[in-house]
């Protein structure tokens, strides 16, 4: 879908399916209010909507590959979207994960290559190989291959 809000909603629903105890309405409100002020596009093509959430014991992530890109309130279209929710009582972890993503995705062309990956396992394999240990920190990486919804109306 070309609308970043729809992609974000799908990522939220994905987390809710995997973590039924997550207060999805609270998380959605936190992420959307934060992103309304300043959309988090930390590298060209990489959107990382994020929020710190009370009651979480570990970070939660959901991942979308969007080869055609989606609108995310910035000049660049988002080709990869990573929803990041972290425990409210661990602000350092939140900053470390955002910094790690910024470092990993700064290589020209990396976002486009990631957006073209064919399976969730391909994405997990990429994250397992990252030198800044993003996947080790989060321990749970759920991947949504959302490009199948692009243009489906």
């Amino acid at each position: 879908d070309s609308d970043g809000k729809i992609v974000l909603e799908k990522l939220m629903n994905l987390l809710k399916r995997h973590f039924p105890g997550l207060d999805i309405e609270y998380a959605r409100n936190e992420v959307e209010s934060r992103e309304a002020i300043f959309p988090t596009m930390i590298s060209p093509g990489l959107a990382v909507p994020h929020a710190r959430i009370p009651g979480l014991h570990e970070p939660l992530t959901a991942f979308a590959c969007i080869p055609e890109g989606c609108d995310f309130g910035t000049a660049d279209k988002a080709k990869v979207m990573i929803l990041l929710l972290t425990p409210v009582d661990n602000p350092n972890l939140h900053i470390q994960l955002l910094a790690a993503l910024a470092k990993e995705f700064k290589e020209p062309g990396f976002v486009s290559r990631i957006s073209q990956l064919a399976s969730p396992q391909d994405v997990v394999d990429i994250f397992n190989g990252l030198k800044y240990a993003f996947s080790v920190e989060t321990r749970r990486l759920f991947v949504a291959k959302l490009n199948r919804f692009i243009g489906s109306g």
Side-chain angles (χ1 to χ4, degrees):
D1 208 302
S2 64
D3 186 342
K5 290 181 180 182
I6 293 171
V7 175
L8 179 58
E9 181 68 22
K10 290 175 182 181
L11 292 177
M12 286 283 184
N13 290 334
L14 180 64
L15 285 183
K16 180 65 175 173
R17 282 196 309 271
H18 287 284
F19 302 98
L22 178 64
D23 182 346
I24 200 70
E25 290 306 317
Y26 180 84
R28 181 181 297 112
N29 288 337
E30 288 295 300
V31 169
E32 287 178 353
S33 63
R34 205 213 143 286
E35 294 301 316
I37 296 167
F38 189 76
T40 309
M41 189 77 80
I42 64 173
S43 179
L46 174 63
V48 186
H50 59 97
R52 294 172 39 219
I53 307 296
L56 288 184
H57 301 293
E58 63 185 352
L60 302 180
T61 61
F63 193 102
C65 297
I66 314 144
E68 295 83 13
C70 70
D71 295 323
F72 195 66
T74 61
D76 290 328
K77 289 191 174 234
K79 292 186 170 205
V80 173
M81 188 180 294
I82 301 173
L83 172 60
L84 176 63
L85 304 178
T86 60
V88 72
D89 58 355
N90 195 344
N92 287 337
L93 177 61
H94 191 84
I95 299 299
Q96 288 170 356
L97 292 174
L98 288 172
L101 285 169
K103 288 176 186 175
E104 291 294 353
F105 281 80
K106 72 179 178 183
E107 176 190 327
F110 189 61
V111 171
S112 289
R113 281 199 319 273
I114 294 285
S115 75
Q116 300 294 325
L117 293 175
S119 75
Q121 189 58 52
D122 290 342
V123 176
V124 171
D125 290 346
I126 291 287
F127 272 81
N128 284 336
L130 295 180
K131 55 189 163 197
Y132 293 101
F134 177 80
S135 61
V136 172
E137 288 279 351
T138 60
R139 294 191 313 247
R140 294 180 191 226
L141 177 64
F142 291 101
V143 179
K145 187 66 173 162
L146 294 182
N147 64 338
R148 65 179 175 267
F149 299 112
I150 301 294
S152 65

